[in-house]
Amino acid sequence: MFIEDLIIKLSNIIENKINRSILIGFQEYLLKAGIFTLASQILAIILMVYILFIILFSLVSLVLSFNVSIALALAVFIPTISFILILFLKIEKRASEIENSIPDFLRQLSSMLKVGLSLENALVDMSEHGKGPLYDELRRVVVEIRMGKSLDESFNSMAMRLNSKDLERSFKIILNAHKSGGSLSDIILDVSDDLRAMLVLKRERKASVMMSIMFLIIASTVAAPFALGMVGVYSSFMIELGKGGAICEVAPLAAEIYLIIHSILAGFLIALIMYGDLKKGLRYSIPITCSAFAVFYLINNFGAGFFGLT
């Protein structure tokens, strides 16, 4: 009860302090992810997590004599990156679920049109009885239409929210057929079959490139950081022996820079192979970079002791 009251109080403060347009934009992202909690409440929860992590990492830094500045940076960085990744993954998962259910939805819509219902009435009927993320979006479309938005605008907005070119193309075909007065049920059925075939091709493409993806992930998160960490270990060892030069001193920094570039490029390459879309690379680059740096840090700092070089 105390936590709930605190969240409500913090959310009220956030609503008063943050620009409404920012909250609305953030709320749209939450809706895309299937999170129907108020944006201000989510931000309040995130703020509480920040405070908790700052306290926790501060205590850890004091106990382990760890750099306080780095600990505070990690206390902010880890929850932020975690939330962004979770949000992106939920958005992608929800969009994928909607794309997979669209062919069946269109087939059902075609059947309802064949029995004599209009497109608008069929959509309303399906929105009232359907369950799942697609029908959540459909209910939003119905509400927008009732509020005066045109059918074209509502469906185009839905396609933009889901960020799917296939859906946008399919909706355009359906809407054009609706305007021209053609056999809408047959056209929708054809679109459903085309989408189903396209989804099968996408699944086959993903399956065919999984070995390449696994190789990239292992190389980026294990092999490269391990090798670069050993470079740092070797450099430190040579410096301790008094045989280190300028190269040994700059090697760890160069390894870190290379690791960042390598991890980011690997993430974008994975996105390009899997989806053919570089824009999705960021969601892979961030976790790969974090994982790679974790391995690099462990090897660079504890590798010497493990391999008996101290």
Side-chain angles (χ1 to χ4, degrees):
M1 184 65 71
F2 169 74
I3 295 176
E4 291 179 1
D5 292 338
L6 183 59
I7 290 172
I8 292 171
K9 289 179 181 178
L10 285 174
S11 67
N12 291 333
I13 294 171
I14 289 170
E15 286 179 358
N16 293 327
K17 296 294 182 181
I18 296 180
N19 191 291
R20 186 168 179 79
S21 61
I22 296 174
L23 288 175
I24 291 173
F26 184 53
Q27 189 73 62
E28 281 292 333
Y29 273 102
L30 294 176
L31 291 174
K32 284 182 182 180
I35 301 171
F36 301 105
T37 309
L38 287 174
S40 57
Q41 292 184 2
I42 294 293
L43 290 174
I45 293 170
I46 293 172
L47 181 61
M48 291 171 64
V49 171
Y50 278 144
I51 294 170
L52 181 63
F53 267 69
I54 287 170
I55 294 171
L56 181 63
F57 275 72
S58 298
L59 292 174
V60 170
S61 67
L62 291 174
V63 172
L64 300 178
S65 300
F66 193 67
N67 189 298
V68 178
S69 300
I70 295 176
L72 292 176
L74 288 173
V76 175
F77 178 77
I78 291 174
T80 303
I81 295 301
S82 299
F83 176 75
I84 291 172
L85 286 176
I86 290 170
L87 190 63
F88 272 130
L89 289 173
K90 286 182 74 67
I91 289 172
E92 185 176 338
K93 182 182 177 182
R94 188 168 184 267
S96 178
E97 288 177 359
I98 290 174
E99 279 194 348
N100 290 331
S101 59
I102 277 283
D104 292 330
F105 161 76
L106 292 177
R107 185 171 287 273
Q108 185 181 356
L109 179 60
S110 174
S111 300
M112 296 185 75
L113 293 175
K114 283 181 179 179
V115 299
L117 287 175
S118 66
L119 179 60
E120 290 80 0
N121 289 335
L123 291 173
V124 171
D125 188 69
M126 292 178 71
S127 68
E128 291 174 350
H129 299 96
K131 292 182 180 179
L134 173 60
Y135 294 94
D136 291 336
E137 289 291 336
L138 187 60
R139 278 186 278 273
R140 182 170 176 176
V141 168
V142 170
V143 170
E144 288 176 351
I145 292 171
R146 286 174 174 171
M147 291 177 67
K149 209 170 185 179
S150 69
L151 190 66
D152 293 33
E153 291 175 338
S154 298
F155 271 107
N156 288 332
S157 298
M158 178 180 172
M160 288 178 65
R161 285 196 301 271
L162 299 175
N163 195 25
S164 173
K165 292 181 180 178
D166 295 336
L167 291 182
E168 187 177 355
R169 194 181 304 114
S170 301
F171 288 153
K172 281 183 179 179
I173 294 171
I174 293 169
L175 292 171
N176 288 333
H178 181 246
K179 288 177 184 177
S180 63
S183 179
L184 191 57
S185 60
D186 293 335
I187 291 171
I188 290 176
L189 193 60
D190 291 338
V191 171
S192 171
D193 293 337
D194 290 342
L195 275 177
R196 195 182 301 277
M198 201 174 298
L199 289 172
V200 171
L201 287 174
K202 283 184 177 181
R203 283 194 288 267
E204 289 177 352
R205 186 179 70 176
K206 280 187 179 181
S208 65
V209 300
M210 280 311 295
M211 287 299 294
S212 302
I213 299 299
M214 291 302 297
F215 174 78
L216 280 171
I217 291 173
I218 293 171
S220 303
T221 58
V222 179
F226 180 85
L228 293 171
M230 289 304 298
V231 169
V233 170
Y234 178 76
S235 299
S236 300
F237 180 67
M238 294 301 293
I239 290 171
E240 288 178 4
L241 291 177
K243 297 181 180 180
I247 294 178
C248 289
E249 292 177 359
V250 79
L253 178 61
E256 291 177 5
I257 294 171
Y258 174 81
L259 190 62
I260 292 172
I261 296 171
H262 182 269
S263 301
I264 292 172
L265 290 177
F268 280 99
L269 189 57
I270 289 171
L272 187 62
I273 293 172
M274 288 187 68
Y275 304 102
D277 186 3
L278 284 173
K279 294 178 182 178
K280 295 185 178 182
L282 191 61
R283 68 188 65 179
Y284 296 104
S285 296
I286 293 173
I288 287 174
T289 303
C290 294
S291 301
F293 250 92
V295 174
F296 174 80
Y297 178 82
L298 290 173
I299 297 298
N300 192 43
N301 288 276
F302 305 107
F306 181 79
F307 292 105
L309 298 177
T310 56

